[in-house]
Amino acid sequence: MQNQTNIEIRKPFEWIYKEPALVNTLVYCRGSGKSFAALDWIIYKLLNNPDPNATGVYYNKSLKQTRSIVELAMSRYKQVFDSGKASYNKSTLTYTFFDKKESKKKLFLKSYEESESSRGFHPYVGVFDEAQSMPHNLYGEVMIPMFGPALQDSPQHAGLLVIGTPQGPNNILYELYQKGLDSNNEFYKSKLITIYTSELFNASTIKALRMSMSEKEFAQEYECDFNANVVTGAIYKEILDLYRPNNFGVFRHDPLYPVFMSWDFGYTHYTSVWFWQCINGEIRMIDFYESTGQDITKCLFEVLSKPYQFGHCILPHDANHHNIRSPLTITQIFQNNNLRCTVLPPSSITAGIEATKLLLKSLKFDEEHTKIGVQHLEAYAYKIVQDKGIDRSKPDQSSPHADASDALRMMAVSQSIWYPRPLNSISNFNYSPNVLS
């Protein structure tokens, strides 16, 4: 089926064009092409909007994931871009469509990580991809107010498309899906497509996918079972659950001992930091920090404001890279603030994951202060590959959970630097308090 904008509409998605509500929730199985279909829908809505300056927005878990999905999807429209009817600004992550004279309709790419910056922005249409990962407060506090004016003033041209694959019942995807099942609620509509009803998978592919994962993982990813509630392809969750009774509790900062740090850097995704102390033969994870959209100097200021005496600081290899935001490398910025740094060389992610698995068995986590970091570790998973299932050789590095996991991996592969030193009190280390100059 095609429409006047020459966008091909696949049968499982026809309903969002023919009989949409204001908020439409698609719970479709993994590999059903829902992200591409959602982008086709938002382009259709923009091009059929009489407002020459109509705007839309696409959200995903991280900007890295947003870019990879949207840029791949848009490559199908190469002729449109070559003809000058559309353009893409990579620096602002904005697509502009010139469907008529003096018409500049825009599609903005964003992520849940920096959704607070959307306050005051009022597009007509939006896609919330991987909605099971949307922070719970964002939908009511940011998303609905953002689309409120268009939903109220131009309902025939406005609309939200919420898509995802189940991950338990305690998230926005499940709540909106349930609202859409209520025939008395005209503002919401929902649809669920499984591997069996998608018309995309043959019997041999279904069999191969079943063999690649556990029964619960298959039920969640391909049968769209909200009650399965597992992290499909989880890398660390099983170890964390197994050792939780002995390794989680109250492990507060002890001012008599130095605090070590391992970092992973991000600007459009998370900058993540783990803090730990070596006390009486134990490795105690006392704290976790993350930030997104902030310059590294701001992150460092917040970290150094903590009441810690810092020992060694473990940094990834890109800390030595120069960038346009500063004449100094990150390593130089850290050293200028009296931090003793070791920059690790590039190394195998797979080998680092195995080292982290071994280390996790002995780490003691302060349950309160490392809660967010541990949640990232639990959700860090291997990629799910179309028609093949879980690829256990490729962790999902586009996930918002990868940054905290990478920071812990830096810690794991650098044990020879920070662990063998005598586990004495801070008085035996010649470190002084660190203050940003």
Side-chain angles (χ1 to χ4, degrees):
M1 174 183 175
Q2 289 193 333
N3 54 61
Q4 60 181 345
T5 53
N6 294 318
I7 292 174
E8 183 179 353
I9 302 173
R10 288 175 29 219
K11 188 175 179 180
F13 301 95
E14 287 182 358
W15 69 277
I16 58 176
Y17 295 86
K18 292 181 176 180
E19 301 173 341
L22 290 178
V23 180
N24 307 278
T25 303
L26 282 65
V27 179
Y28 282 23
C29 69
R30 185 74 60 181
S32 62
K34 56 185 178 292
S35 295
F36 279 27
L39 283 160
D40 291 341
W41 172 84
I42 200 170
I43 293 172
Y44 172 89
K45 294 288 285 186
L46 285 174
L47 296 185
N48 284 278
N49 191 319
D51 183 346
N53 298 308
T55 57
V57 61
Y58 169 92
Y59 282 90
N60 208 309
K61 294 186 287 187
S62 67
L63 276 181
K64 185 177 181 180
Q65 193 157 346
T66 295
R67 287 188 61 173
S68 63
I69 289 175
V70 177
E71 289 175 5
L72 180 60
M74 288 299 188
S75 67
R76 298 171 299 157
Y77 299 109
K78 185 176 184 298
Q79 287 183 325
V80 177
F81 288 91
D82 290 345
S83 68
K85 292 181 180 180
S87 66
Y88 177 42
N89 187 323
K90 283 192 174 184
S91 63
T92 62
L93 299 180
T94 306
Y95 285 90
T96 304
F97 302 93
F98 311 98
D99 60 329
K100 297 177 182 177
K101 187 178 181 180
E102 297 184 359
S103 174
K104 293 183 179 181
K105 299 174 180 180
K106 295 183 182 294
L107 173 62
F108 297 91
L109 310 187
K110 294 183 177 290
S111 76
Y112 301 138
E113 295 174 350
E114 40 87 62
S115 54
E116 288 288 335
S117 65
S118 298
R119 294 183 186 272
F121 173 50
H122 299 295
Y124 279 90
V125 286
V127 170
F128 301 152
D129 203 346
E130 300 289 355
Q132 70 274 11
S133 300
M134 182 193 296
H136 208 276
N137 65 310
L138 288 182
Y139 183 76
E141 295 179 8
V142 179
M143 302 304 186
I144 287 299
M146 181 168 62
F147 289 95
L151 292 173
Q152 182 175 347
D153 300 336
S154 304
Q156 70 274 28
H157 301 298
L160 305 181
L161 193 54
V162 181
I163 62 176
T165 302
Q167 193 170 323
N170 299 315
N171 53 64
I172 288 296
L173 179 67
Y174 178 79
E175 291 181 14
L176 296 180
Y177 173 70
Q178 291 297 319
K179 284 186 176 183
L181 296 179
D182 182 359
S183 59
N184 295 320
N185 195 333
E186 60 181 303
F187 298 107
Y188 295 85
K189 186 172 287 189
S190 296
K191 187 84 169 178
L192 185 146
I193 296 289
T194 70
I195 193 171
Y196 311 111
T197 57
S198 68
E199 303 179 3
L200 292 173
F201 301 86
N202 58 35
S204 61
T205 299
I206 293 175
K207 182 178 179 180
L209 289 169
R210 276 190 178 277
M211 293 177 64
S212 77
M213 57 186 68
S214 70
E215 184 177 339
K216 280 191 172 184
E217 288 173 333
F218 183 83
Q220 176 174 273
E221 300 296 327
Y222 292 99
E223 296 176 329
C224 296
D225 184 353
F226 281 99
N227 294 318
N229 195 18
V230 295
V231 178
T232 303
I235 296 174
Y236 299 131
K237 190 174 189 306
E238 184 177 354
I239 293 174
L240 289 166
D241 288 345
L242 181 63
Y243 289 89
R244 185 175 294 275
N246 295 323
N247 288 4
F248 284 75
V250 179
F251 297 98
R252 297 289 193 260
H253 167 238
D254 188 333
L256 294 179
Y257 294 83
V259 174
F260 301 97
M261 295 186 285
S262 59
W263 290 65
D264 186 73
F265 302 114
Y267 185 79
T268 57
H269 48 108
Y270 287 111
T271 289
S272 301
V273 189
W274 287 98
F275 304 83
W276 71 95
Q277 293 182 293
C278 299
I279 302 175
N280 299 327
E282 290 184 340
I283 306 170
R284 301 182 183 180
M285 309 302 293
I286 62 166
D287 202 356
F288 174 79
Y289 166 90
E290 69 176 14
S291 177
T292 184
Q294 288 195 145
D295 183 85
I296 192 63
T297 305
K298 173 69 172 176
C299 296
L300 184 59
F301 177 82
E302 292 177 353
V303 165
L304 295 182
S305 68
K306 292 177 178 289
Y308 302 153
Q309 299 273 16
F310 290 105
H312 230 94
C313 181
I314 307 299
L315 306 178
H317 68 92
D318 53 352
N320 279 338
H321 295 175
H322 286 274
N323 64 77
I324 61 174
R325 296 191 186 97
S326 171
L328 301 177
T329 66
I330 292 175
T331 305
Q332 290 169 331
I333 293 172
F334 278 45
Q335 290 173 336
N336 286 348
N337 286 278
N338 302 318
L339 287 173
R340 179 184 292 184
C341 302
T342 294
V343 180
L344 300 180
S347 60
S348 163
I349 294 179
T350 301
I353 286 174
E354 294 307 311
T356 305
K357 287 179 178 179
L358 289 174
L359 182 64
L360 279 172
K361 297 176 182 180
S362 59
L363 297 183
K364 305 294 184 181
F365 288 90
D366 185 89
E367 204 151 17
E368 178 183 349
H369 293 101
T370 64
K371 181 179 179 180
I372 294 174
V374 170
Q375 288 174 346
H376 284 307
L377 297 179
E378 291 174 330
Y380 187 48
Y382 292 109
K383 280 189 173 181
I384 299 177
V385 181
Q386 177 82 7
D387 297 340
K388 294 181 180 179
I390 300 170
D391 185 345
R392 299 189 185 276
S393 67
K394 295 180 180 178
D396 185 0
Q397 292 301 105
S398 67
S399 161
H401 311 297
D403 306 295
S405 302
D406 287 348
L408 193 71
R409 177 164 55 86
M410 296 300 103
M411 173 189 178
V413 299
S414 63
Q415 291 178 67
S416 61
I417 298 170
W418 53 265
Y419 188 67
R421 64 182 67 236
L423 302 178
N424 295 329
S425 71
I426 192 69
S427 60
N428 291 324
F429 291 84
N430 188 24
Y431 300 132
S432 57
N434 303 293
V435 181
L436 269 176
S437 54

